[in-house]
Coordinates of all heavy atoms in Angstrom, one line a residue:
M1 N 90.6 50.3 -30.5 CA 91.7 49.6 -31.3 C 91.3 48.3 -31.6 O 91.0 47.5 -30.7 CB 93.1 49.9 -30.8 CG 94.1 49.6 -31.8 SD 95.9 49.8 -31.1 CE 96.0 51.4 -30.7
T2 N 91.4 47.8 -32.9 CA 91.0 46.4 -33.2 C 92.2 45.5 -32.8 O 93.4 45.9 -32.8 CB 90.6 46.3 -34.5 OG1 91.9 46.4 -35.4 CG2 89.6 47.3 -35.1
P3 N 91.9 44.1 -32.5 CA 93.0 43.2 -32.3 C 94.0 43.0 -33.4 O 95.2 42.9 -33.1 CB 92.2 41.9 -32.0 CG 90.7 42.3 -31.6 CD 90.6 43.6 -32.4
L4 N 93.4 43.2 -34.6 CA 94.4 43.1 -35.8 C 95.4 44.3 -35.7 O 96.6 44.1 -36.0 CB 93.5 43.1 -37.1 CG 94.5 43.1 -38.3 CD1 95.3 41.8 -38.4 CD2 93.6 43.0 -39.6
W5 N 94.9 45.5 -35.5 CA 95.7 46.7 -35.5 C 96.7 46.5 -34.3 O 98.0 46.9 -34.4 CB 94.9 47.9 -35.3 CG 95.7 49.2 -35.4 CD1 96.0 49.9 -34.3 CD2 96.4 49.7 -36.5 NE1 96.8 51.0 -34.8 CE2 97.1 50.8 -36.1 CE3 96.4 49.3 -37.9 CZ2 97.8 51.6 -37.0 CZ3 97.2 50.0 -38.8 CH2 97.8 51.2 -38.2
Q6 N 96.3 46.0 -33.2 CA 97.2 45.9 -31.9 C 98.3 44.9 -32.3 O 99.5 45.1 -32.0 CB 96.4 45.3 -30.8 CG 95.6 46.4 -30.2 CD 94.8 45.8 -29.0 OE1 94.7 44.6 -28.8 NE2 94.2 46.6 -28.3
R7 N 97.9 43.7 -33.2 CA 99.0 42.7 -33.4 C 99.9 43.4 -34.5 O 101.2 43.1 -34.4 CB 98.3 41.5 -34.0 CG 97.7 40.7 -33.1 CD 97.1 39.4 -33.6 NE 97.5 38.8 -34.7 CZ 96.9 37.9 -35.4 NH1 95.8 37.6 -35.0 NH2 97.5 37.4 -36.5
I8 N 99.4 44.1 -35.5 CA 100.4 44.8 -36.4 C 101.3 45.8 -35.8 O 102.6 45.7 -35.9 CB 99.5 45.5 -37.5 CG1 98.7 44.4 -38.4 CG2 100.4 46.4 -38.4 CD1 97.8 45.1 -39.3
T9 N 100.8 46.6 -34.7 CA 101.5 47.5 -34.1 C 102.6 46.8 -33.2 O 103.8 47.2 -33.2 CB 100.7 48.4 -33.1 OG1 99.7 49.0 -33.9 CG2 101.5 49.3 -32.3
H10 N 102.2 45.7 -32.5 CA 103.1 44.9 -31.8 C 104.3 44.4 -32.6 O 105.5 44.5 -32.3 CB 102.4 43.8 -31.1 CG 103.3 42.8 -30.4 ND1 104.0 43.1 -29.1 CD2 103.7 41.5 -30.7 CE1 104.6 42.1 -28.8 NE2 104.5 41.1 -29.7
W11 N 104.0 43.7 -33.8 CA 105.0 43.2 -34.7 C 105.9 44.3 -35.3 O 107.1 44.1 -35.5 CB 104.4 42.5 -35.8 CG 103.9 41.1 -35.2 CD1 102.7 40.6 -35.0 CD2 104.9 40.0 -34.9 NE1 102.8 39.3 -34.4 CE2 104.2 38.9 -34.4 CE3 106.3 39.8 -35.1 CZ2 104.7 37.7 -34.1 CZ3 106.9 38.6 -34.6 CH2 105.9 37.6 -34.1
Y12 N 105.3 45.5 -35.5 CA 106.1 46.6 -36.0 C 107.1 47.1 -35.0 O 108.2 47.3 -35.3 CB 105.1 47.8 -36.4 CG 105.9 49.0 -36.9 CD1 106.5 49.1 -38.0 CD2 106.1 50.1 -35.9 CE1 107.2 50.1 -38.6 CE2 106.8 51.1 -36.4 CZ 107.4 51.3 -37.7 OH 108.1 52.2 -38.1
R13 N 106.7 47.2 -33.7 CA 107.6 47.6 -32.7 C 108.7 46.6 -32.5 O 110.0 46.9 -32.2 CB 106.8 47.8 -31.4 CG 106.1 49.1 -31.4 CD 105.5 49.4 -30.2 NE 104.7 50.6 -30.3 CZ 103.6 50.9 -29.6 NH1 103.2 50.0 -28.8 NH2 103.0 52.1 -29.8
R14 N 108.3 45.3 -32.6 CA 109.4 44.1 -32.4 C 110.4 44.3 -33.6 O 111.6 44.2 -33.4 CB 108.7 42.8 -32.4 CG 108.0 42.6 -31.0 CD 107.6 41.2 -30.9 NE 108.8 40.4 -30.9 CZ 108.7 39.0 -30.7 NH1 107.5 38.4 -30.7 NH2 109.7 38.3 -30.7
A15 N 109.9 44.5 -34.9 CA 110.7 44.7 -35.9 C 111.6 45.8 -35.9 O 112.9 45.8 -36.2 CB 109.9 44.7 -37.3
E16 N 111.2 46.9 -35.3 CA 111.9 48.1 -35.1 C 113.1 47.9 -34.2 O 114.2 48.2 -34.4 CB 111.0 49.3 -34.8 CG 111.6 50.5 -34.5 CD 110.7 51.6 -34.1 OE1 109.6 51.2 -33.5 OE2 111.1 52.8 -34.2
A17 N 112.8 47.2 -33.0 CA 113.7 47.0 -32.0 C 114.7 46.0 -32.6 O 116.0 46.2 -32.3 CB 113.1 46.3 -30.7
F18 N 114.4 45.0 -33.3 CA 115.3 44.1 -33.9 C 116.2 44.7 -34.9 O 117.4 44.6 -35.0 CB 114.7 42.9 -34.6 CG 115.4 42.0 -35.3 CD1 116.2 41.0 -34.6 CD2 115.6 41.9 -36.7 CE1 117.1 40.2 -35.1 CE2 116.4 41.1 -37.3 CZ 117.1 40.1 -36.5
G19 N 115.7 45.5 -35.8 CA 116.5 46.3 -36.8 C 117.5 47.3 -36.1 O 118.6 47.3 -36.5
A20 N 117.0 48.0 -35.1 CA 118.0 48.9 -34.4 C 119.0 48.1 -33.7 O 120.2 48.5 -33.8 CB 117.2 49.6 -33.3
E21 N 118.8 47.0 -33.1 CA 119.7 46.0 -32.5 C 120.7 45.5 -33.6 O 122.0 45.6 -33.3 CB 119.1 45.0 -31.7 CG 120.1 44.0 -31.1 CD 120.8 44.6 -29.9 OE1 120.1 45.7 -29.3 OE2 121.8 44.3 -29.4
Y22 N 120.2 45.1 -34.7 CA 121.0 44.5 -35.7 C 121.9 45.5 -36.3 O 123.2 45.3 -36.5 CB 120.1 44.0 -36.8 CG 120.8 43.5 -38.1 CD1 121.5 42.2 -38.0 CD2 121.0 44.0 -39.2 CE1 122.2 41.6 -38.9 CE2 121.7 43.7 -40.3 CZ 122.3 42.3 -40.2 OH 123.0 41.8 -41.2
Y23 N 121.5 46.8 -36.7 CA 122.4 47.8 -37.2 C 123.4 48.4 -36.2 O 124.4 48.9 -36.7 CB 121.5 48.8 -37.9 CG 121.0 48.2 -39.2 CD1 119.6 48.0 -39.3 CD2 121.7 47.9 -40.4 CE1 119.1 47.5 -40.4 CE2 121.3 47.4 -41.4 CZ 119.9 47.1 -41.5 OH 119.5 46.7 -42.7
N24 N 122.9 48.5 -34.9 CA 123.7 49.2 -34.0 C 124.9 48.2 -33.4 O 125.8 48.7 -32.8 CB 123.0 49.8 -32.8 CG 122.2 50.9 -33.2 OD1 122.4 51.5 -34.2 ND2 121.1 51.2 -32.5
A25 N 124.7 47.0 -33.3 CA 125.5 45.9 -32.8 C 127.0 46.1 -33.1 O 127.8 46.2 -32.4 CB 125.0 44.6 -32.9
P26 N 127.4 46.3 -34.4 CA 128.8 46.3 -34.8 C 129.4 47.6 -34.3 O 130.7 47.7 -34.2 CB 128.7 46.2 -36.3 CG 127.5 45.7 -36.7 CD 126.6 46.1 -35.6
Y27 N 128.6 48.7 -34.1 CA 129.2 50.0 -33.8 C 128.8 50.3 -32.3 O 129.0 51.6 -32.1 CB 128.5 51.1 -34.7 CG 128.6 50.7 -36.1 CD1 127.5 50.1 -36.9 CD2 129.8 50.7 -36.8 CE1 127.6 49.9 -38.1 CE2 129.9 50.4 -38.2 CZ 128.8 49.8 -38.8 OH 128.9 49.5 -40.1
R28 N 128.4 49.4 -31.5 CA 128.2 49.7 -30.1 C 129.2 50.3 -29.4 O 129.0 51.4 -28.6 CB 127.7 48.5 -29.4 CG 127.0 48.7 -28.1 CD 126.3 47.5 -27.6 NE 125.0 47.3 -28.3 CZ 124.6 46.1 -28.7 NH1 125.4 45.1 -28.3 NH2 123.6 46.0 -29.4
R29 N 130.4 49.8 -29.5 CA 131.6 50.3 -28.7 C 131.9 51.7 -29.2 O 132.1 52.6 -28.4 CB 132.8 49.4 -28.9 CG 134.1 50.0 -28.1 CD 135.2 49.0 -28.3 NE 134.9 48.0 -27.3 CZ 135.7 46.9 -27.1 NH1 136.7 46.8 -27.9 NH2 135.4 46.2 -26.1
A30 N 131.9 52.0 -30.5 CA 132.2 53.3 -31.1 C 131.2 54.3 -30.6 O 131.4 55.4 -30.3 CB 132.3 53.3 -32.6
I31 N 129.8 53.8 -30.6 CA 128.7 54.7 -30.2 C 128.9 55.2 -28.8 O 128.7 56.2 -28.3 CB 127.4 54.1 -30.5 CG1 127.1 54.1 -32.0 CG2 126.3 54.8 -29.8 CD1 125.9 53.2 -32.4
A32 N 129.3 54.2 -27.9 CA 129.5 54.4 -26.5 C 130.7 55.4 -26.3 O 130.6 56.3 -25.5 CB 129.7 53.1 -25.7
A33 N 131.8 55.2 -27.0 CA 132.9 56.1 -26.8 C 132.5 57.5 -27.3 O 132.9 58.5 -26.6 CB 134.0 55.6 -27.6
A34 N 131.8 57.6 -28.4 CA 131.5 59.0 -28.9 C 130.5 59.7 -27.9 O 130.6 60.9 -27.6 CB 130.8 58.8 -30.3
R35 N 129.6 58.8 -27.3 CA 128.6 59.5 -26.3 C 129.3 59.9 -25.0 O 129.2 60.9 -24.6 CB 127.7 58.3 -25.9 CG 126.5 58.8 -25.0 CD 125.5 57.9 -24.6 NE 124.8 57.6 -25.8 CZ 124.1 56.6 -26.2 NH1 124.3 55.5 -25.3 NH2 123.4 56.4 -27.2
R36 N 130.4 59.2 -24.6 CA 131.2 59.4 -23.4 C 132.1 60.7 -23.8 O 132.2 61.6 -22.9 CB 132.1 58.3 -23.0 CG 132.8 58.3 -21.7 CD 133.5 57.2 -21.4 NE 134.3 56.6 -22.3 CZ 134.1 55.4 -22.8 NH1 133.0 54.7 -22.6 NH2 134.8 54.9 -23.8
D37 N 132.7 60.8 -24.9 CA 133.3 62.0 -25.3 C 132.4 63.2 -25.3 O 133.0 64.3 -24.9 CB 134.1 61.8 -26.6 CG 135.2 60.8 -26.6 OD1 135.6 60.5 -25.5 OD2 135.6 60.4 -27.7
E38 N 131.3 63.1 -25.8 CA 130.4 64.2 -25.8 C 129.9 64.6 -24.5 O 129.9 65.8 -24.2 CB 129.2 63.8 -26.8 CG 128.2 64.8 -27.0 CD 127.2 64.4 -27.9 OE1 127.4 64.1 -29.1 OE2 125.9 64.2 -27.6
E39 N 129.7 63.6 -23.6 CA 129.4 64.0 -22.3 C 130.4 64.6 -21.5 O 130.2 65.5 -20.7 CB 128.9 62.7 -21.5 CG 128.4 62.9 -20.1 CD 127.9 61.7 -19.5 OE1 127.1 60.9 -20.2 OE2 128.3 61.5 -18.4
D40 N 131.7 64.1 -21.7 CA 132.9 64.7 -21.1 C 133.0 66.3 -21.5 O 133.3 67.2 -20.8 CB 134.1 64.0 -21.4 CG 134.2 62.6 -20.8 OD1 133.5 62.4 -19.8 OD2 135.1 61.9 -21.2
L41 N 132.8 66.6 -22.8 CA 132.9 67.8 -23.3 C 131.8 68.7 -22.7 O 131.9 69.9 -22.3 CB 132.8 68.0 -24.8 CG 132.8 69.3 -25.4 CD1 134.2 69.9 -25.2 CD2 132.6 69.2 -26.9
F42 N 130.6 68.2 -22.5 CA 129.5 68.8 -21.9 C 129.8 69.2 -20.4 O 129.5 70.3 -19.9 CB 128.2 68.0 -22.0 CG 127.1 68.7 -21.5 CD1 126.5 69.7 -21.9 CD2 126.4 68.2 -20.3 CE1 125.3 70.5 -21.5 CE2 125.3 68.9 -19.8 CZ 124.8 69.9 -20.5
M43 N 130.3 68.2 -19.8 CA 130.6 68.5 -18.4 C 131.7 69.5 -18.3 O 131.7 70.4 -17.3 CB 131.3 67.1 -17.7 CG 130.2 66.1 -17.5 SD 129.1 66.4 -16.2 CE 130.2 66.0 -14.8
L44 N 132.7 69.6 -19.0 CA 133.7 70.7 -19.1 C 133.0 71.9 -19.3 O 133.4 72.9 -18.7 CB 134.8 70.3 -20.3 CG 135.9 71.4 -20.2 CD1 136.8 71.5 -19.0 CD2 136.8 71.0 -21.5
L45 N 132.1 72.0 -20.3 CA 131.5 73.3 -20.4 C 130.7 73.7 -19.3 O 130.7 74.9 -19.0 CB 130.4 73.1 -21.7 CG 129.6 74.3 -22.0 CD1 130.5 75.4 -22.6 CD2 128.7 73.9 -23.1
V46 N 130.0 72.8 -18.6 CA 129.3 73.2 -17.4 C 130.1 73.6 -16.2 O 129.8 74.6 -15.5 CB 128.3 72.0 -17.1 CG1 127.7 72.2 -15.6 CG2 127.2 71.7 -18.1
F47 N 131.2 73.0 -16.0 CA 132.1 73.3 -14.9 C 133.3 74.1 -15.2 O 134.2 74.3 -14.4 CB 132.5 72.0 -14.1 CG 131.4 71.2 -13.5 CD1 130.8 70.2 -14.1 CD2 131.0 71.6 -12.2 CE1 129.8 69.5 -13.5 CE2 129.9 71.0 -11.6 CZ 129.4 69.9 -12.2
A48 N 133.4 74.7 -16.3 CA 134.5 75.4 -16.8 C 134.8 76.6 -16.0 O 135.9 76.9 -15.6 CB 134.3 75.8 -18.3
E49 N 133.8 77.3 -15.8 CA 133.8 78.5 -14.9 C 134.5 78.3 -13.5 O 135.3 79.1 -13.0 CB 132.5 79.3 -14.8 CG 132.6 80.7 -14.2 CD 133.2 81.7 -15.3 OE1 133.0 81.4 -16.5 OE2 133.8 82.7 -14.9
M50 N 134.1 77.2 -13.0 CA 134.6 76.9 -11.6 C 136.0 76.5 -11.6 O 136.7 76.6 -10.6 CB 133.7 75.7 -11.1 CG 132.3 76.1 -10.7 SD 131.3 74.7 -10.2 CE 131.7 74.8 -8.5
M51 N 136.5 76.1 -12.7 CA 137.9 75.8 -13.0 C 138.8 77.0 -13.5 O 140.0 76.7 -13.9 CB 138.1 74.6 -13.6 CG 137.5 73.3 -13.1 SD 137.8 71.8 -13.8 CE 136.8 71.8 -15.2
G52 N 138.2 78.0 -13.6 CA 139.0 79.3 -14.1 C 138.9 79.4 -15.6 O 139.7 80.3 -16.1
I53 N 138.2 78.6 -16.4 CA 138.2 78.7 -17.7 C 136.9 79.7 -18.1 O 135.8 79.4 -17.8 CB 138.0 77.4 -18.5 CG1 139.1 76.5 -18.1 CG2 137.8 77.6 -19.8 CD1 138.9 75.0 -18.5
P54 N 137.2 80.8 -18.9 CA 136.1 81.7 -19.1 C 135.0 80.9 -20.0 O 135.3 80.1 -21.0 CB 136.7 82.7 -20.0 CG 138.1 82.6 -19.8 CD 138.5 81.2 -19.4
N55 N 133.8 81.1 -19.6 CA 132.7 80.4 -20.3 C 131.6 81.3 -20.6 O 131.0 81.9 -19.8 CB 132.1 79.3 -19.3 CG 131.0 78.4 -19.9 OD1 130.6 78.7 -21.1 ND2 130.5 77.5 -19.2
P56 N 131.4 81.7 -21.9 CA 130.3 82.6 -22.3 C 128.9 82.1 -22.0 O 128.0 82.8 -21.9 CB 130.5 82.7 -23.8 CG 131.2 81.4 -24.2 CD 132.0 81.0 -23.1
A57 N 128.7 80.9 -21.6 CA 127.4 80.4 -21.4 C 127.2 80.0 -19.8 O 126.4 79.2 -19.6 CB 127.1 79.1 -22.2
T58 N 127.9 80.7 -19.0 CA 127.8 80.3 -17.6 C 126.5 80.5 -17.0 O 126.0 79.6 -16.3 CB 128.8 81.3 -16.8 OG1 130.1 81.0 -17.4 CG2 128.7 81.0 -15.4
W59 N 125.9 81.5 -17.4 CA 124.4 81.8 -16.8 C 123.5 80.5 -17.2 O 122.7 80.1 -16.4 CB 123.8 83.1 -17.5 CG 122.5 83.3 -16.9 CD1 121.3 83.2 -17.5 CD2 122.1 83.7 -15.6 NE1 120.4 83.6 -16.8 CE2 120.7 83.9 -15.6 CE3 122.9 84.0 -14.5 CZ2 120.1 84.3 -14.4 CZ3 122.1 84.5 -13.3 CH2 120.8 84.5 -13.3
H60 N 123.7 80.0 -18.3 CA 122.7 78.9 -18.8 C 123.1 77.6 -18.2 O 122.4 76.6 -17.8 CB 122.7 78.7 -20.2 CG 122.3 80.0 -20.9 ND1 121.0 80.4 -20.8 CD2 122.8 80.9 -21.5 CE1 120.8 81.5 -21.5 NE2 122.0 81.9 -21.9
T61 N 124.6 77.4 -18.0 CA 125.1 76.1 -17.5 C 125.0 76.0 -15.9 O 125.1 75.0 -15.4 CB 126.5 75.8 -18.0 OG1 127.3 76.9 -17.5 CG2 126.5 75.7 -19.5
L62 N 124.8 77.1 -15.2 CA 124.8 77.2 -13.8 C 123.7 76.4 -13.2 O 123.8 75.7 -12.2 CB 124.7 78.6 -13.3 CG 125.0 78.9 -11.9 CD1 126.4 78.5 -11.6 CD2 124.8 80.3 -11.5
E63 N 122.6 76.4 -13.9 CA 121.4 75.6 -13.4 C 121.6 74.1 -13.7 O 121.0 73.3 -13.1 CB 120.2 76.0 -14.3 CG 119.8 77.5 -14.1 CD 118.5 77.9 -15.0 OE1 118.0 77.0 -15.6 OE2 118.2 79.1 -14.9
L64 N 122.6 73.7 -14.5 CA 122.8 72.3 -14.7 C 123.7 71.6 -13.7 O 123.8 70.4 -13.5 CB 123.2 72.0 -16.1 CG 122.4 72.5 -17.2 CD1 123.2 72.4 -18.6 CD2 121.1 71.6 -17.3
Q65 N 124.5 72.5 -13.0 CA 125.5 71.9 -12.1 C 124.9 71.0 -11.0 O 125.4 70.0 -10.7 CB 126.3 73.0 -11.4 CG 127.2 73.7 -12.4 CD 128.0 74.8 -11.9 OE1 127.9 75.1 -10.7 NE2 128.8 75.4 -12.6
P66 N 123.9 71.3 -10.3 CA 123.3 70.4 -9.3 C 122.9 69.1 -9.9 O 123.0 68.0 -9.3 CB 122.1 71.1 -8.7 CG 122.4 72.6 -9.0 CD 123.1 72.6 -10.3
L67 N 122.4 69.1 -11.2 CA 121.9 67.8 -11.8 C 123.0 66.9 -12.2 O 123.0 65.8 -12.3 CB 121.1 68.3 -13.1 CG 119.9 69.1 -12.9 CD1 119.2 69.5 -14.1 CD2 118.9 68.4 -11.9
L68 N 124.3 67.5 -12.4 CA 125.5 66.7 -12.9 C 126.4 66.4 -11.8 O 127.4 65.8 -12.0 CB 126.1 67.5 -13.9 CG 125.3 67.8 -15.2 CD1 126.0 68.7 -16.2 CD2 125.0 66.5 -15.9
L69 N 126.2 66.8 -10.6 CA 127.1 66.7 -9.5 C 127.4 65.2 -9.2 O 128.4 64.7 -8.8 CB 126.7 67.3 -8.2 CG 127.0 68.9 -8.1 CD1 126.5 69.5 -6.9 CD2 128.5 69.1 -8.4
E70 N 126.3 64.3 -9.4 CA 126.4 62.9 -9.2 C 127.4 62.2 -10.1 O 128.0 61.3 -9.7 CB 125.1 62.3 -9.3 CG 124.1 62.6 -8.2 CD 122.8 61.9 -8.4 OE1 122.7 60.9 -9.2 OE2 121.8 62.3 -7.7
R71 N 127.5 62.8 -11.3 CA 128.5 62.3 -12.3 C 129.8 63.0 -12.3 O 130.7 62.7 -13.0 CB 127.9 62.4 -13.7 CG 126.7 61.5 -13.8 CD 126.1 61.4 -15.2 NE 125.4 62.7 -15.4 CZ 124.8 62.9 -16.7 NH1 125.0 62.0 -17.6 NH2 124.3 64.2 -17.0
F72 N 129.9 64.0 -11.4 CA 131.1 64.8 -11.4 C 132.3 64.0 -11.1 O 133.4 64.1 -11.7 CB 131.0 66.0 -10.4 CG 132.2 66.9 -10.5 CD1 132.3 67.8 -11.4 CD2 133.2 66.8 -9.5 CE1 133.5 68.6 -11.6 CE2 134.2 67.7 -9.5 CZ 134.4 68.5 -10.5
H73 N 132.3 63.1 -10.1 CA 133.3 62.4 -9.6 C 133.9 61.4 -10.7 O 135.0 61.4 -10.9 CB 133.0 61.5 -8.4 CG 134.0 60.7 -8.0 ND1 135.2 61.1 -7.3 CD2 134.2 59.3 -8.0 CE1 136.0 60.1 -7.0 NE2 135.4 58.9 -7.5
D74 N 133.0 60.7 -11.4 CA 133.5 59.8 -12.5 C 134.1 60.7 -13.6 O 135.1 60.2 -14.3 CB 132.2 59.1 -13.1 CG 131.7 58.1 -12.1 OD1 132.4 57.7 -11.2 OD2 130.5 57.9 -12.2
W75 N 133.6 61.8 -13.9 CA 134.1 62.8 -14.8 C 135.6 63.2 -14.6 O 136.4 63.0 -15.5 CB 133.1 63.9 -15.1 CG 133.8 64.9 -16.1 CD1 134.0 64.7 -17.5 CD2 134.5 66.1 -15.9 NE1 134.5 66.0 -18.0 CE2 134.8 66.7 -17.0 CE3 134.6 66.9 -14.6 CZ2 135.4 68.0 -17.2 CZ3 135.2 68.1 -14.6 CH2 135.5 68.6 -16.0
H76 N 135.8 63.6 -13.4 CA 137.1 64.2 -13.2 C 138.2 63.1 -13.1 O 139.3 63.2 -13.4 CB 137.2 65.2 -12.0 CG 137.2 64.5 -10.6 ND1 138.2 63.8 -10.0 CD2 136.2 64.5 -9.7 CE1 137.9 63.4 -8.9 NE2 136.6 63.8 -8.5
R77 N 137.7 61.9 -12.7 CA 138.6 60.7 -12.7 C 139.0 60.3 -14.2 O 140.1 60.0 -14.4 CB 138.0 59.5 -12.0 CG 137.6 59.7 -10.5 CD 138.9 59.7 -9.6 NE 139.3 58.3 -9.8 CZ 140.1 57.7 -8.8 NH1 140.3 58.3 -7.8 NH2 140.5 56.6 -9.0
R78 N 138.0 60.4 -15.0 CA 138.3 60.1 -16.4 C 139.2 61.2 -17.1 O 139.9 60.8 -18.0 CB 136.9 60.1 -17.2 CG 136.3 58.7 -17.4 CD 135.3 58.6 -18.5 NE 134.4 59.8 -18.6 CZ 133.2 60.0 -17.9 NH1 132.9 58.8 -17.1 NH2 132.5 61.0 -18.0
Q79 N 139.1 62.3 -16.6 CA 140.0 63.5 -17.1 C 141.4 63.3 -16.5 O 142.2 64.2 -16.9 CB 139.4 64.8 -16.9 CG 138.0 64.9 -17.4 CD 138.0 64.6 -19.0 OE1 138.9 65.1 -19.7 NE2 137.1 63.7 -19.4
G80 N 141.7 62.4 -15.7 CA 143.1 62.1 -15.1 C 143.3 62.9 -13.9 O 144.4 63.2 -13.4
M81 N 142.3 63.5 -13.3 CA 142.6 64.3 -12.0 C 142.1 63.3 -10.8 O 141.0 62.9 -10.8 CB 141.5 65.5 -12.0 CG 141.9 66.5 -13.1 SD 140.7 67.9 -13.1 CE 139.7 67.4 -14.5
A82 N 143.0 63.1 -10.0 CA 142.7 62.1 -8.9 C 141.8 62.7 -7.9 O 140.9 61.8 -7.3 CB 144.1 61.8 -8.2
H83 N 141.8 64.1 -7.7 CA 140.9 64.6 -6.7 C 140.2 65.7 -7.4 O 140.6 66.2 -8.6 CB 141.8 65.2 -5.5 CG 142.5 64.2 -4.8 ND1 141.9 63.2 -4.1 CD2 143.8 63.8 -4.8 CE1 142.9 62.4 -3.5 NE2 144.0 62.8 -4.0
S84 N 139.2 66.1 -6.8 CA 138.3 67.2 -7.3 C 139.0 68.5 -7.7 O 139.8 69.0 -6.8 CB 137.2 67.5 -6.4 OG 136.5 68.6 -6.9
P85 N 138.9 69.0 -8.8 CA 139.8 70.2 -9.1 C 139.1 71.5 -8.4 O 139.6 72.6 -8.6 CB 139.7 70.3 -10.6 CG 138.5 69.6 -11.0 CD 138.2 68.6 -10.0
L86 N 138.0 71.4 -7.9 CA 137.2 72.5 -7.4 C 137.5 72.6 -5.9 O 137.4 71.8 -5.1 CB 135.7 72.4 -7.6 CG 135.3 72.0 -9.1 CD1 133.8 71.7 -9.1 CD2 135.6 73.1 -9.9
D87 N 137.9 73.9 -5.5 CA 138.3 74.1 -4.1 C 137.0 74.1 -3.2 O 136.9 73.6 -2.1 CB 138.8 75.5 -3.9 CG 140.2 75.6 -4.6 OD1 140.8 74.5 -4.7 OD2 140.6 76.7 -5.0
Q88 N 135.8 74.6 -3.8 CA 134.6 74.7 -3.0 C 133.8 73.4 -3.0 O 132.8 73.2 -2.4 CB 133.7 75.9 -3.5 CG 133.2 75.8 -4.8 CD 134.3 76.4 -5.7 OE1 135.5 76.5 -5.5 NE2 133.7 76.6 -7.0
F89 N 134.2 72.5 -3.9 CA 133.4 71.2 -3.9 C 134.3 70.0 -3.8 O 135.1 69.8 -4.7 CB 132.6 71.2 -5.2 CG 131.8 69.9 -5.4 CD1 130.8 69.7 -4.6 CD2 132.1 69.0 -6.3 CE1 130.1 68.5 -4.7 CE2 131.5 67.8 -6.5 CZ 130.4 67.6 -5.7
R90 N 134.3 69.3 -2.7 CA 135.1 68.0 -2.5 C 134.1 66.9 -2.7 O 133.2 66.7 -1.9 CB 135.6 68.0 -1.2 CG 136.6 69.2 -1.0 CD 137.9 68.8 -1.6 NE 138.8 70.0 -1.5 CZ 139.8 70.2 -2.3 NH1 140.1 69.5 -3.5 NH2 140.5 71.3 -2.2
C91 N 134.3 66.2 -3.7 CA 133.5 64.9 -3.9 C 134.3 63.6 -3.5 O 133.6 62.6 -3.3 CB 133.1 64.8 -5.4 SG 134.4 64.5 -6.6
C92 N 135.6 63.7 -3.3 CA 136.3 62.4 -2.9 C 137.5 62.9 -1.9 O 137.7 63.9 -1.6 CB 136.8 61.8 -4.1 SG 137.7 62.8 -5.2

């Protein structure tokens, strides 16, 4: 790779990062809230069967539960549950 091409690539990446920051800045809070709502819905889908809610995708979401257990406590607190709703899993 030539030095000129490296400089062009470097400046392109900086301009891309600056553009993303410029356009995302006014909507950062809304984007974070939408991401959190989406994650909460995903957590509900993954742990629905354990809370007695029928879940047609249980077989597929069962593999994700160990990966999401670290975030489970924050999730059930955000949903207004002071303690873990699961009998077999106590996180707090």
Side-chain angles (χ1 to χ4, degrees):
M1 197 180 291
T2 65
L4 178 61
W5 184 252
Q6 288 177 344
R7 286 181 28 197
I8 290 172
T9 304
H10 173 72
W11 281 105
Y12 176 76
R13 287 188 179 144
R14 287 187 67 182
E16 182 182 19
F18 177 74
E21 183 70 24
Y22 178 77
Y23 287 109
N24 290 341
Y27 308 106
R28 190 168 290 139
R29 179 175 282 177
I31 291 170
R35 182 177 296 148
R36 191 173 45 248
D37 289 346
E38 188 174 293
E39 185 176 314
D40 288 347
L41 182 62
F42 182 69
M43 291 285 284
L44 178 64
L45 180 67
V46 170
F47 290 100
E49 191 72 29
M50 295 175 83
M51 292 188 283
I53 301 169
N55 182 4
T58 300
W59 180 254
H60 302 288
T61 59
L62 194 61
E63 295 177 3
L64 298 173
Q65 289 179 1
L67 301 173
L68 298 174
L69 282 178
E70 292 180 11
R71 295 187 286 180
F72 183 77
H73 177 72
D74 293 334
W75 174 73
H76 79 73
R77 300 282 300 208
R78 263 196 320 270
Q79 300 306 311
M81 296 176 261
H83 301 287
S84 173
L86 308 176
D87 293 334
Q88 63 273 20
F89 178 70
R90 297 279 177 211
C91 64
C92 50

